[in-house]
Amino acid sequence: MTVTQTKPEQRGRGGGRFLAGRSLNEIGLIAAIVVLYVVLGSTAAGFLSLDNQLGMLRDAATVGIAAWGVTLVIIAGEIDISIGPAVAFASVLVAKGAAEWGLGIGLSVLVTLAAGAAWGALAGWLRARFEVPSFIATLGIWSALGGLGLYLTDALPVVLPESGLFDVLGGSVLGIPTPAIVMVVLFFVFAYVARYTGYGRSVYAVGGNAPAARMAGINLSRVRVLLFATTGLLSAITGVLLAARLGSGNGGAASGLEFDVIAAVVIGGTALAGGRGTLLGTLLGVAFITVISNGLVLLGVNSFLQNVVRGVIIVVAVLVNVVITKRARATRET
């Protein structure tokens, strides 16, 4: 049995139209980012400075690393809202392990990464084994990790010990922020996996038509567990990098990060219904979100109003996404 997949490689008249729609979304994002740079470069003092651009790369990495995994999750027709507390708890875990539990620097990092994969796999297992909606499964993880992070620290920062490894992770390599380097490397890894591997094709198939994918022999449970284990691991990586950057683990860090991540993925053109999306689109979505957030800060916009602006952007992006999805579906049916 052949599983119909909505993928970038589609050909023919319908596939060509789909490609055109996807390219239009990406071209529109590039144009929007260019316009933002022109406007903010002339209105926001210091926006184009080297220090600010490097700071934006660090901020983009905080959103982008997790966004690569969430892109595949949403393509598969699922959702993960646990990113913010997962990142915060990972920062606490690595700080506690290194500073108070006597695990040492290297082992603390490894334990944190393993724990991230484990709590992600737990959410995936709940989804796969008991058909718990991914929103509910990750909402439970969101609540549990958020509470644990604050409980273990009494809502106070846990200072990291002096370490050359943390200096590198929180610093720069050849002038480029280390988190940005990690983000770019992982981007190419995930872009390759999504486009050229059997696992990537399975993700698209599950999101496009899960029952048909199961009949075609795809193990839905394995795909779902791997998806959420991956987002857990990426959240842990982000948490370690954030702790190294701040010099401490904090249970209240990364508050609301999950919304920026989901917004970047959706703005990048990934369909919330599943089956459609690209890592390139998410990369542009991350850049768009980062530029807007940075610009609002430099323009002195009230922090509460910044949340309003981001909320409006998310709603508009979803509306545009729905329109594009409906047009793509109508095109495939003709």
Side-chain angles (χ1 to χ4, degrees), residues 44 47-48 55 72 101 112 167 183 193 226 236 265 272 299 303 319:
F47 176 77
L48 296 177
L72 297 185
W101 295 342
T112 300
D167 289 341
M183 176 185 69
V193 168
L226 283 174
V265 175
L272 286 171
L299 290 173
S303 59
L319 289 175

Side-chain angles (χ1 to χ4, degrees), residues 21 33 45 67 71 76 102 105 112 140 145 150-151 157 204 230 264 266-267 275 279 290 304 332:
I33 293 169
T71 299
I105 306 300
T112 300
L145 295 183
L150 295 173
Y151 171 75
Y204 279 94
T230 300
V266 174
I267 289 171
L279 269 297
T290 303
F304 299 117
R332 290 197 300 272

Side-chain angles (χ1 to χ4, degrees), residues 205-240:
V206 170
N209 191 330
R214 180 186 290 109
M215 293 179 66
I218 294 175
N219 189 324
L220 299 189
S221 295
R222 183 177 63 182
V223 169
R224 285 167 175 164
V225 171
L226 283 174
L227 280 170
F228 287 99
T230 300
T231 58
L233 175 61
L234 294 175
S235 297
I237 292 173
T238 304
V240 171

Side-chain angles (χ1 to χ4, degrees), residues 26-178:
E26 293 169 355
I27 292 171
L29 276 174
I30 293 173
I33 293 169
V34 170
V35 169
L36 283 172
Y37 259 84
V38 172
V39 172
L40 293 174
S42 59
T43 59
F47 176 77
L48 296 177
S49 68
L50 178 60
D51 286 343
N52 187 62
Q53 295 302 305
L54 292 176
M56 286 174 59
L57 282 176
R58 293 183 187 276
D59 294 339
T62 302
V63 177
I65 292 173
W68 309 152
V70 173
T71 299
L72 297 185
V73 167
I74 295 180
I75 288 174
E78 308 293 344
I79 193 71
D80 189 340
I81 63 168
S82 67
I83 303 300
V87 169
F89 182 69
S91 75
V92 169
L93 202 58
V94 71
K96 281 281 189 178
E100 299 180 10
W101 295 342
L103 298 181
I105 306 300
L107 184 57
S108 296
V109 172
L110 292 177
V111 167
T112 300
L113 299 184
W119 68 60
L122 173 61
W125 179 72
L126 290 173
R127 174 71 180 102
R129 178 66 178 83
F130 300 103
E131 295 294 328
V132 175
S134 55
F135 178 85
I136 299 300
T138 56
L139 178 62
I141 300 295
W142 179 92
S143 180
L145 295 183
L148 278 173
L150 295 173
Y151 171 75
L152 290 175
T153 62
D154 291 325
L156 297 173
V158 180
V159 179
L160 291 174
E162 293 293 330
S163 166
L165 176 60
F166 286 139
D167 289 341
V168 172
L169 293 178
S172 302
V173 177
L174 300 177
I176 302 175
T178 303

Side-chain angles (χ1 to χ4, degrees), residues 242-256:
L242 183 62
R245 175 183 175 183
L246 300 177
S248 64
N250 192 326
S255 177

